């Protein structure tokens, strides 16, 4: 195992398995026991301490080696181990009858009990009194500098090393000596910094688990564990071992420094490795087990006092910042113009967080106070923040790290703290700090922490620790975590101020929006009713001649196309509507198979005028294709595509394939006139139609003023479903066969049209009512099998009728001309709603969906 230990792959320090090197230091011995306390492993030197060779002990119960009282004490200690990193200690324990006393540590490792022992020192004073006295000296320190210095003095007095340093880790994992107690005449390391590579990643992790690590003599020959691997081929994990051997790279590092013995004690604050007590001695030295245990306890108490002091300082700082935030809120509450005064705002903010300048960016407008970048540079910074800060407080001492070219203004602004003051990351208050040129003292060149040695392709630790000065430029004084937390508090205050300023305007906008929504809903209702009346008049007035009936059917389809378009544009408060929704609506109105029309184009919106025009054009195209073109045969298809050109005009193409051979029409009807002339005449575009033998191709150009892009993230419109399940493309004539139907409608013409529709669907009898009272009377006289209720009946609604039908268990659906603005009460929120004007198709689909497959015949 010794050979294995010396042949560790050292090509990457951060991956070196320092916790499983398979050896201990010779200052004591180790036993590893199975769960039933049989000896599984020992250190190779155990015979030097208890007179038994490793091969004599492997497999024996520990009770055959140690006395019964020792086994009792050890088992009791093992029983109180709690947590994965717990270690228990027993002092002055005579392991073998007639033998010497040992100080013992016990812990668990991979399911095994690990016992480590060193010859007892006999020094067993009152540890609690000693630590209490040491802590009382710490508590008398007035500031952090004297606190660190006193901590180093106390540890040096306890363990007697030549040098004891308080070594603090920085945010970049480099370390700095913030205090030291040192023997006279050997030089000082105070103020020196060490690169992060001096403490590899896995070593920092181990420092959090095992708080104390001793190296008694860098020239010691390590002692291997026997056997090196268990039956599963695994080495013993020595992460918690007090005797663990040390990485040969670290031994070489210490030798390069001239250090002969080393002791490290972890300082953990808030569960994180804050730093170390780093102790050096220039001759071999091993403090007693008792002294090491006391120093570890002191380090834990030191960390608790340190955490308390740092927290108290943070509380005081943040309390002052909150008072400033309250002052800011109170001042702006009485005079909101102060928020637009950058000098006043800068003075307030820099009293909370030190800064050399303040920049304000609200709604694309800017204001400056103090030393700041130029307007153009500030605009670039805001754009960088939009992609970096993500709506949170963001701080950096190096603006160039997020903004290329920031070196140009580094003398004015090298660091920043950005406070977003809007929900979206677009408005900011930014505090700037100027460049702080400073000299950092390193213990050797930090850019050369390791180099190739003479032993082939492996890394050697650096040899030079002479002071090396680095001039740091282009950076500001860093913003502390406390300052960032204060900025979060100020952000909440500033947002509250901004929201308060905007609240009155927002309320007015909401009132205006509500009024607009009410007007649009009423307009939608009236237009739909008017369209419904027109359709009813046409349908009810038609004679029996086939030619007139065909004419009525054509006009009816055009009116309904306008109604569908009107519904789309009023759904969004008379605003632009999606092109795709127009195509889907027409496809659903004519086709059982919606896949026969294939559309391709980026999401775009058409304004109401263009939307209504294109609704008629598309209706005529679909109608003609359904009668004579590709949509008249099963294999036929229509491809619709659109794209915008450099001028942002929209080019819309209709292309038919797979249908009958096409010939140019010899007669120009009204539908053809709509296709050819509507777009040029109504919206100033162009229209071209080619009657190619293989299929009609129509091309339209819609001017850019009628087209807008869909908002980012807008989901594709929901495609209208085809005919309801079980409903054929041709509506079944008898789906309401044998049923008594109640129609509630306050317009006679629309009521007659609806009565005609349900009669065609096979209704046995149809009762109509124009009022709530009339409908309730009709229900009591003759309970209907199904009902269709217009929601708005003059100055009343039909919800009372719905409540009565719900009690009686009569299925019903609503009808309305209000579109999506119709508001249903909670009891009827999931009820089916038919949009006016009525058509045979939309009423039949609603009935089929409500009644299910049994409704079809």
């Amino acid at each position: 195992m010794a050979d294995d230990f010396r042949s560790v792959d050292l090509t990457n320090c951060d991956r070196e398995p320092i916790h499983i090197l398979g050896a201990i230091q010779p200052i004591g011995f180790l036993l590893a026991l199975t769960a039933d306390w049989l000896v599984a492993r020992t250190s190779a030197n155990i015979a030097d301490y208890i007179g038994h060779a490793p091969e004599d002990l492997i497999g024996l119960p520990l009770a055959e080696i140690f006395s019964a009282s020792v086994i009792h004490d050890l088992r009791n200690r093992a029983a109180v181990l709690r947590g994965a990193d717990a270690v228990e200690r027993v002092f002055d324990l005579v392991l073998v009858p007639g033998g010497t006393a040992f100080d013992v540590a016990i812990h668990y490792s991979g399911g095994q009990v690990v016992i480590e022992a060193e010859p007892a020192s006999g020094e067993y004073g009152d540890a609690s009194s000693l630590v209490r006295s040491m802590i009382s000296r710490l508590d008398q320190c007035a500031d952090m500098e004297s606190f660190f210095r006193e901590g180093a003095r106390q540890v040096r007095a306890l363990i007697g090393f030549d040098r004891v340093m308080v070594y603090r880790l920085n945010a970049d994992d480099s370390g700095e000596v913030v205090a030291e107690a040192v023997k006279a005449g050997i030089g000082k390391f105070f103020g020196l910094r060490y690169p992060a590579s001096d403490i590899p990643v896995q070593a920092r992790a181990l420092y959090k688990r095992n708080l104390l690590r001793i190296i008694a003599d860098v020239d010691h020959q390590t002692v291997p564990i026997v056997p090196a691997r268990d039956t599963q081929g695994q080495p013993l994990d020595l992460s918690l071992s007090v005797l663990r051997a040390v990485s040969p790279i670290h031994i070489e590092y210490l030798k390069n420094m001239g250090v002969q013995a080393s002791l490290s004690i972890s300082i953990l604050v808030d569960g994180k490795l804050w730093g170390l007590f780093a102790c050096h001695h220039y001759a071999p030295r091993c403090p007693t087990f008792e002294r090491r245990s006391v120093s570890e306890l002191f380090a834990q108490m030191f960390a608790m006092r340190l955490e308390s002091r740092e927290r108290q300082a943070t509380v005081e700082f943040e309390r002052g910042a909150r008072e400033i935030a309250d002052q800011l809120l109170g001042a702006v509450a009485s005079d909101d113009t102060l928020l637009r005064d950058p000098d006043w705002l800068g003075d307030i903010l820099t009293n909370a967080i030190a800064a050399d300048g303040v920049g304000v960016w609200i709604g694309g407008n800017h204001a400056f106070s103090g030393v700041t970048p130029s307007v153009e540079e500030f605009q670039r910074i805001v754009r960088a923040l939009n992609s970096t800060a993500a709506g949170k407080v963001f701080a950096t001492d190096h603006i160039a790290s997020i903004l290329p070219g920031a070196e140009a203004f580094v003398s004015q602004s090298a660091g920043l703290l950005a406070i977003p003051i809007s929900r979206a990351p677009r408005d900011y208050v930014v505090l700037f700090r100027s460049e702080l040129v400073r000299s950092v003292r390193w213990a050797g060149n930090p850019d050369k922490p390791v180099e190739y040695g003479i032993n082939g392709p492996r890394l050697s630790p650096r040899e030079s620790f002479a002071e090396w000065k680095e001039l740091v430029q282009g950076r500001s004084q860093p913003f502390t975590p406390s300052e960032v937390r204060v900025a979060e508090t100020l952000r909440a205050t500033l947002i509250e101020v901004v929201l308060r300023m905007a609240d009155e305007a927002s309320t007015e906008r909401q009132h205006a929006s509500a009024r607009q929504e009410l007007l649009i809903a009423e307009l939608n209702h009236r237009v739909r009713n008017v369209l419904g009346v027109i359709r009813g008049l046409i349908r009810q007035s038609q004679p029996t001649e086939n030619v007139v009936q065909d004419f009525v059917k054509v006009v009816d389809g055009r009116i309904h196309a306008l109604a569908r378009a009107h519904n789309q544009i009023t759904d969004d408060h008379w605003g632009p509507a999606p092109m795709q929704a127009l195509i889907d609506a027409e496809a659903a109105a004519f086709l059982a198979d919606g896949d026969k029309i294939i559309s391709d184009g980026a999401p775009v919106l058409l304004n109401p005028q263009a939307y209504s025009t294109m609704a008629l054009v598309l209706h005529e195209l679909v109608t003609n294709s359904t009668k004579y073109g590709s949509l008249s045969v099963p294999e036929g298809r229509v491809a619709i595509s659109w794209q915008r050109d450099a001028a942002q005009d929209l080019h819309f193409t209709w292309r038919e394939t797979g249908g009958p051979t096409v010939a140019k029409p010899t007669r120009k009807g009204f539908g053809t006139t709509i296709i050819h002339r509507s777009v040029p005449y109504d919206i100033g575009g162009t229209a071209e139609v080619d009657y190619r033998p293989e299929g009609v191709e129509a091309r339209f150009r819609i001017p850019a003023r009628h087209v807008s892009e869909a908002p980012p993230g807008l989901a594709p419109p929901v495609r209208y479903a085809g005919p309801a399940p079980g409903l054929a493309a041709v509506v079944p004539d008898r789906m309401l066969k044998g049923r008594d139907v109640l129609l509630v409608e306050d317009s006679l013409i629309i009521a007659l049209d609806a009565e005609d529709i349900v009669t065609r669907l096979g209704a046995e009898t149809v009762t109509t009512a124009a009022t709530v009272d009339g409908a309730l009377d009709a229900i009591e006289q003759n309970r209907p099998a199904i009902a269709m209720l217009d929601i708005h009946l003059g100055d009343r609604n039909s919800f009372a009728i719905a409540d009565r039908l719900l009690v009686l268990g009569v299925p019903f659906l609503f009808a309305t001309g209000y579109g999506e603005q119709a508001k249903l009460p909670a009891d009827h929120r999931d009820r089916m709603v038919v949009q006016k004007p009525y058509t045979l198709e939309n009423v039949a689909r609603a009935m089929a969906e409500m009644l299910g497959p049994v409704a079809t015949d």
Side-chain angles (χ1 to χ4, degrees):
M1 181 61 204
D3 290 340
D4 291 341
F5 174 61
R6 294 190 182 94
S7 62
V8 173
D9 181 6
L10 303 177
T11 58
N12 189 318
C13 296
D14 281 342
R15 289 201 300 267
E16 186 185 4
I18 59 176
H19 60 301
I20 52 172
L21 293 178
I24 63 170
Q25 299 177 66
I27 57 176
F29 69 88
L30 176 146
L31 283 169
L33 313 176
T34 63
D36 50 356
W37 288 62
L38 301 177
V39 177
R41 290 168 164 154
T42 76
S43 57
N45 65 344
I46 194 168
D48 298 336
Y49 292 97
I50 63 173
H52 298 284
E55 58 271 19
D56 298 333
L57 300 178
I58 303 298
L60 287 180
L62 190 64
E64 295 185 13
I65 305 168
F66 293 167
S67 66
S69 62
V70 167
I71 298 296
H72 177 267
D73 290 342
L74 292 177
R75 283 187 175 274
N76 282 347
R77 286 296 181 180
V80 298
L81 287 170
R82 292 291 182 272
D85 298 336
V87 178
E88 284 292 322
R89 298 170 176 83
V90 187
F91 296 98
D92 204 26
L93 199 62
V94 178
L95 302 178
V96 179
T100 58
F102 289 87
D103 294 334
V104 177
I106 183 170
H107 70 273
Y108 285 111
S109 175
Q112 294 188 330
V113 181
V114 177
I115 297 173
E116 298 172 278
E118 300 176 37
S121 65
E123 297 180 358
Y124 310 112
D126 186 351
S128 62
S129 296
L130 177 60
V131 172
R132 192 161 49 246
S133 173
M134 296 169 71
I135 293 299
S136 68
R137 291 178 178 271
L138 282 179
D139 290 340
Q140 295 171 21
C141 296
D143 52 38
M144 295 301 286
E145 183 178 348
S146 59
F147 178 82
F148 293 147
R149 185 169 58 249
E150 184 62 30
R153 288 182 64 250
Q154 294 290 328
V155 172
R156 183 167 184 261
L158 185 63
I159 64 173
F161 270 51
D162 292 335
R163 185 190 309 278
V164 173
M165 298 168 282
V166 177
Y167 183 82
R168 180 175 61 197
L169 291 172
N170 298 316
D172 61 357
D173 288 331
S174 65
E176 181 179 3
V177 178
V178 295
E180 72 174 341
V182 62
K183 176 183 176 182
I186 63 172
K188 294 187 176 182
F189 290 173
F190 175 69
L192 292 181
R193 293 183 66 171
Y194 293 76
S197 56
D198 275 18
I199 304 180
V201 173
Q202 82 280 26
R204 287 194 292 271
L206 202 54
Y207 277 130
K208 292 176 63 176
R209 299 190 60 198
N210 193 341
L211 302 185
L212 187 143
R213 185 221 60 201
I214 177 70
I215 303 175
D217 187 348
V218 296
D219 293 325
H220 271 156
Q221 293 297 313
T222 58
V223 180
I225 304 298
V226 180
R229 299 181 182 274
D230 60 16
T231 55
Q232 283 76 41
Q234 298 299 315
L236 183 63
D237 187 336
L238 296 175
S239 295
L240 302 180
S241 168
V242 298
L243 302 176
R244 173 175 55 87
V246 187
S247 158
I249 290 182
H250 189 65
I251 293 294
E252 189 174 346
Y253 177 90
L254 293 175
K255 287 182 177 180
N256 290 343
M257 293 186 74
V259 173
Q260 196 69 25
S262 170
L263 179 71
S264 298
I265 315 171
S266 303
I267 302 173
L268 300 183
V269 174
D270 276 337
K272 299 177 181 178
L273 184 64
W274 181 94
L276 305 166
F277 283 107
C279 313
H280 291 168
H281 203 67
Y282 296 94
R285 182 170 182 81
C286 183
T288 65
F289 193 61
E290 189 263 352
R291 293 263 172 162
R292 295 187 338 247
S293 299
V294 171
S295 63
E296 181 181 340
L297 177 59
F298 171 74
Q300 290 175 289
M301 299 298 294
F302 177 90
M304 293 173 62
R305 290 297 200 274
L306 172 60
E307 181 177 345
S308 176
R309 282 174 175 253
E310 288 186 337
R311 188 163 293 168
Q312 183 62 33
T314 299
V315 167
E316 292 297 329
F317 175 70
E318 294 181 1
R319 179 184 294 119
R322 282 194 297 273
E323 291 174 356
I324 292 172
D326 293 341
Q327 177 186 349
L328 172 65
L329 184 60
V332 177
S334 59
D335 183 5
D336 60 20
T337 62
L338 290 174
L339 191 62
R340 302 179 182 90
D341 183 347
D343 292 326
W344 178 86
L345 186 60
D347 185 57
I348 287 287
L349 295 179
T350 54
N351 279 330
I353 303 172
D356 300 301
V358 174
V360 181
W361 183 275
I362 299 178
N365 299 314
H366 66 276
F368 294 129
S369 175
V371 181
T372 65
S374 68
V375 174
E376 294 76 13
E377 291 158 349
F378 191 33
Q379 289 175 332
R380 293 180 59 221
I381 289 171
V382 169
R383 286 196 296 271
L385 289 172
N386 285 342
S387 60
T388 302
K392 298 180 180 179
V393 169
F394 175 79
T396 178
D397 66 345
H398 189 44
I399 297 177
S401 66
I402 65 167
L403 185 68
E407 296 84 1
F409 56 86
V410 71
S411 58
Q412 291 86 20
S413 302
L416 64 79
L417 185 148
I419 306 174
I421 57 171
S422 60
R423 295 181 185 275
R426 62 178 182 274
D427 295 339
Y428 296 93
V429 172
V430 183
L431 280 68
F432 292 102
R433 283 181 177 173
S434 300
E435 181 183 30
L436 177 64
V437 179
R438 60 194 186 277
S439 178
V440 177
R441 299 167 55 232
W442 292 91
N445 187 342
D447 296 325
K448 295 183 178 180
V450 292
E451 58 186 13
Y452 282 102
I454 60 174
N455 300 317
R458 81 172 190 57
L459 293 174
S460 297
R462 57 196 174 94
E463 297 180 357
S464 173
F465 293 88
E467 181 175 324
W468 191 88
K469 291 185 178 180
E470 177 188 20
L471 190 65
V472 177
Q473 295 177 293
R475 294 178 180 270
S476 71
Q477 179 72 28
F479 292 91
T480 66
S482 293
E483 289 173 327
V484 173
R485 286 194 294 271
V486 167
E488 292 285 1
T489 301
L490 291 172
R491 175 175 182 258
T493 300
L494 288 168
I495 288 178
E496 183 176 350
V497 168
V498 171
L499 291 178
R500 180 177 295 181
M501 290 169 58
D503 185 61
E504 184 175 342
S506 175
T507 301
E508 181 58 33
R509 284 195 300 271
Q510 289 174 3
H511 290 164
S513 176
R515 290 193 297 269
Q516 182 187 38
E517 185 170 341
L518 181 62
L519 288 172
I520 289 175
E522 187 61 31
L523 172 65
N524 194 18
H525 174 68
R526 291 178 181 273
V527 170
R528 283 178 167 275
N529 272 352
V530 168
L531 291 172
V533 169
I534 293 172
R535 293 187 69 220
L537 285 170
I538 294 173
R539 293 168 60 88
Q540 296 302 317
S541 303
Q542 64 178 319
T544 57
E545 289 84 355
N546 291 337
V547 174
V548 178
Q549 286 183 341
D550 291 342
F551 171 76
V552 169
K553 186 173 182 181
V554 170
V555 174
D556 182 70
R558 290 169 182 161
I559 293 174
H560 200 59
L562 283 175
R564 289 193 295 270
H566 177 81
N567 189 48
Q568 291 292 332
I569 58 183
T570 54
D571 276 352
D572 197 20
H573 305 88
W574 201 258
M579 170 73 78
Q580 185 65 58
L582 180 61
I583 297 168
D584 291 344
E586 286 300 322
F590 281 84
L591 303 173
D593 181 6
D595 293 334
K596 289 173 71 66
I597 296 180
I598 302 167
S599 58
D600 178 31
V604 294
L605 307 176
L606 300 182
N607 69 14
Q609 182 182 0
Y611 201 87
S612 297
T613 298
M614 288 303 296
L616 281 177
V617 170
L618 194 60
H619 173 76
E620 295 301 330
L621 287 169
V622 173
T623 300
N624 289 344
S625 183
T626 303
K627 289 181 177 179
Y628 316 114
S630 61
L631 297 181
S632 66
V633 296
E635 62 273 16
R637 293 292 184 271
V638 172
I640 298 176
S641 62
W642 61 89
Q643 60 278 328
R644 304 185 77 172
D645 61 18
Q648 296 302 300
D649 291 348
L650 185 72
H651 292 264
F652 181 94
T653 303
W654 166 285
R655 184 177 291 109
E656 299 186 28
T657 57
T661 302
V662 174
K664 187 173 182 178
T666 58
R667 182 177 72 84
K668 189 179 237 185
F670 184 62
T672 304
T673 300
I674 289 175
I675 294 172
H676 282 267
R677 299 187 59 184
S678 289
V679 171
Y681 189 88
D682 290 338
I683 59 177
T686 60
E688 300 176 14
V689 182
D690 290 340
Y691 295 95
R692 303 179 305 163
E694 62 273 18
V696 173
E697 180 174 320
R699 297 175 297 277
F700 305 92
R701 179 184 60 82
I702 302 172
R705 65 180 180 275
H706 298 291
V707 186
S708 59
E709 296 292 336
L714 180 69
V718 178
R719 297 185 66 88
Y720 284 77
L727 186 62
V730 178
V731 177
D733 291 337
R734 312 298 295 169
M735 66 182 305
L736 297 180
K737 180 180 178 181
R739 297 178 186 268
D740 296 326
V741 178
L742 171 66
L743 292 177
V744 181
E745 171 62 61
D746 61 350
S747 169
L748 174 62
I749 303 301
I750 297 176
L752 292 174
D753 196 33
E755 185 176 334
D756 180 60
I757 288 173
V758 295
T759 300
R760 289 182 57 189
L761 293 176
E764 181 75 18
T765 61
V766 181
T767 301
T768 58
T771 65
V772 173
D773 294 336
L776 293 175
D777 289 342
I779 292 171
E780 298 307 320
Q781 293 172 13
N782 181 28
R783 182 185 299 184
I786 191 170
M788 185 162 68
L789 315 178
D790 183 13
I791 293 178
H792 296 88
L793 304 172
D795 58 353
R796 300 183 65 181
N797 58 52
S798 60
F799 298 144
I801 308 169
D803 292 340
R804 181 57 180 160
L805 293 173
L806 185 64
V807 171
L808 296 174
V810 175
F812 64 92
L813 51 82
F814 288 111
T816 183
Y818 276 95
E820 296 300 322
Q821 291 84 8
K823 304 297 183 183
L824 300 180
D827 289 345
H828 307 297
R829 190 164 295 157
D830 298 329
R831 188 68 58 176
M832 183 79 60
V833 178
V834 174
Q835 301 289 344
K836 294 183 182 180
Y838 297 130
T839 67
L840 181 65
E841 290 81 5
N842 69 3
V843 173
R845 289 174 189 171
M847 293 289 184
E849 185 169 346
M850 180 175 66
L851 298 176
V854 297
T856 61
D857 195 10

